[in-house]
DNA sequence: TTTTTGAATAATGTAACAAGATTCAAAAAT
DNA sequence: ATTTTTGAATCTTGTTACATTATTCAAAAA
């Protein structure tokens, strides 16, 4: 009935006992995206643990602290969001570069297409992926499959270099 | 000097002229994620256009409406965020399945490891990726490279099946 | 010694506010 | 009559304030 607590050292909820372990700030979000944003911040939706070759001690629960070794695929694979697009690979002409039929290619238009890079080129209205080779003042689009011949490349009306392939996503 | 505007129909900034074309609400966000969240809501960071084999008419600007043909890698590759982890592949024993040394493997623990699936297994404290084969009442871990022999698999103290590989991310 | 209690303090969702942006009709200039 | 300037009205937006909830722990009670 009378007072029990009172002013004293250590009373009250300690700092840092919030849901995230760090301070928060209100940020104005468009209503249609509030759900996505809350899922992202609350459930670490796209932060997935990354292991090396050692056996993980146990599978971390979402409540655990992924202080290190977490990976967000968007940030990891898309460096320049506004200059990036995806293309689905067709055929097996680049099988030697690890590009299989149906793979998803991440293409960055902001990277310079230098000798040896794998590039996306449109020829006669069709997209194709090849390795760029510059030698003896000429440029070649070289498949990575002995069944296909290199293509003499010169940028013309019907030919355009779209960007450099940075990653290949292969589904099993 | 005197009044010029005044009370009248149509005065003032019209509704819906905000940055997003819809109302906003303050949402409390952990400080370390404010940058990511703002980039997401403002620049549609992780929505990247996806093309088929036709030549894109032009590169869409971030201001355009990506009503269709956009892809978010996290959603696309990680179906069950809480049951998913990444492992970096080592060696070339699964080269035939399109898995190269250094590739990033997306592993889903919620999928059933059935015959023919590519799985992650720990053996003697080390992680390895192989294809699961069940035949004649026995289970084998089969490499996809003729240089390596199949492994007779039985779940024991030092052996654990961690999950099914759903995607392979290969960097160029 | 163990259990109960409530004062103290932090966290959190949201309302409120101040400053900025935008519009348009009235006033002024031409 | 036509064009330009102006500022009141109104919405947007980043941030602060606040009321409510959650949490902790030492004192009081059992």
């Amino acid at each position: 009935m009378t007072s029990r607590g009172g002013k004293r050292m250590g009373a009250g909820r300690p700092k840092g006992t919030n849901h995230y372990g760090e301070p928060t700030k209100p940020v104005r979000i468009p209503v249609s995206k509030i759900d996505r944003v809350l899922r992202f911040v609350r459930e670490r939706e796209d932060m997935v643990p990354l292991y090396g070759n050692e056996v993980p001690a146990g599978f971390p629960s979402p409540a655990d602290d992924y202080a290190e070794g977490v990976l967000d695929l968007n940030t990891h694979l898309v460096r320049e969001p506004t200059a990036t697009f995806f293309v689905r690979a067709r055929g097996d002409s680049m099988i030697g570069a690890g590009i299989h039929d149906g793979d998803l290619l991440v293409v960055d238009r902001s990277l310079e297409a230098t000798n040896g890079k794998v590039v996306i080129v449109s020829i006669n209205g069709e997209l194709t992926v090849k390795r760029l080779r510059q030698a003896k003042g000429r440029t070649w689009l070289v498949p990575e499959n002995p069944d296909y011949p290199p293509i003499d490349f010169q940028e013309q009306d019907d030919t355009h270099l779209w960007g450099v392939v940075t990653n290949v996503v292969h589904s099993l």
Side-chain angles (χ1 to χ4, degrees), chain A:
Chain A
M1 200 58 66
T2 66
S3 155
R4 301 206 191 199
K7 199 178 203 91
R8 85 205 92 106
M9 284 302 296
R13 181 178 186 167
K15 272 186 186 174
T17 57
N18 60 340
H19 194 286
Y20 308 110
E22 61 175 319
T24 63
K25 267 186 63 177
V27 173
R28 208 171 265 278
I29 306 290
V31 288
S32 71
K33 289 182 176 171
I34 290 179
D35 278 356
R36 275 282 317 265
V37 167
L38 285 181
R39 233 180 310 147
F40 169 62
V41 298
R42 287 220 266 252
E43 298 175 23
R44 316 173 194 221
E45 184 187 56
D46 47 7
M47 297 308 267
V48 171
L50 166 66
Y51 298 110
N53 247 36
E54 337 71 60
V55 175
F59 191 77
S61 88
D64 285 349
D65 205 36
Y66 298 162
E68 297 176 343
V70 294
L71 204 59
D72 166 22
L73 279 179
N74 284 325
T75 312
H76 186 68
L77 299 181
V78 182
R79 297 293 169 86
E80 288 289 339
T82 57
T84 300
F85 64 96
F86 300 135
V87 185
R88 206 161 283 285
R90 288 294 158 216
D92 56 357
S93 70
M94 287 297 284
I95 198 87
I99 300 176
H100 304 73
D101 188 56
D103 283 358
L104 188 74
L105 307 180
V106 183
V107 185
D108 190 334
R109 301 214 318 154
S110 72
L111 294 179
E112 195 186 353
T114 54
N115 186 35
K117 296 275 185 187
V118 174
V119 295
I120 293 288
V121 177
S122 63
I123 302 177
N124 295 324
E126 196 155 325
L127 289 176
T128 186
V129 52
K130 296 286 180 292
R131 196 177 292 276
L132 197 74
R133 287 294 177 197
Q134 295 161 317
K136 301 174 196 164
R138 293 175 67 186
T139 302
W140 296 86
L141 298 173
V142 185
E144 229 142 283
N145 182 333
D147 298 344
Y148 296 80
I151 301 168
D152 191 347
F153 175 70
Q154 37 210 342
E155 203 146 355
Q156 296 171 330
D157 282 350
D158 57 352
T159 308
H160 181 66
L161 200 155
W162 279 97
V164 175
V165 180
T166 59
N167 292 278
V168 182
V169 178
H170 178 64
S171 291
L172 292 177

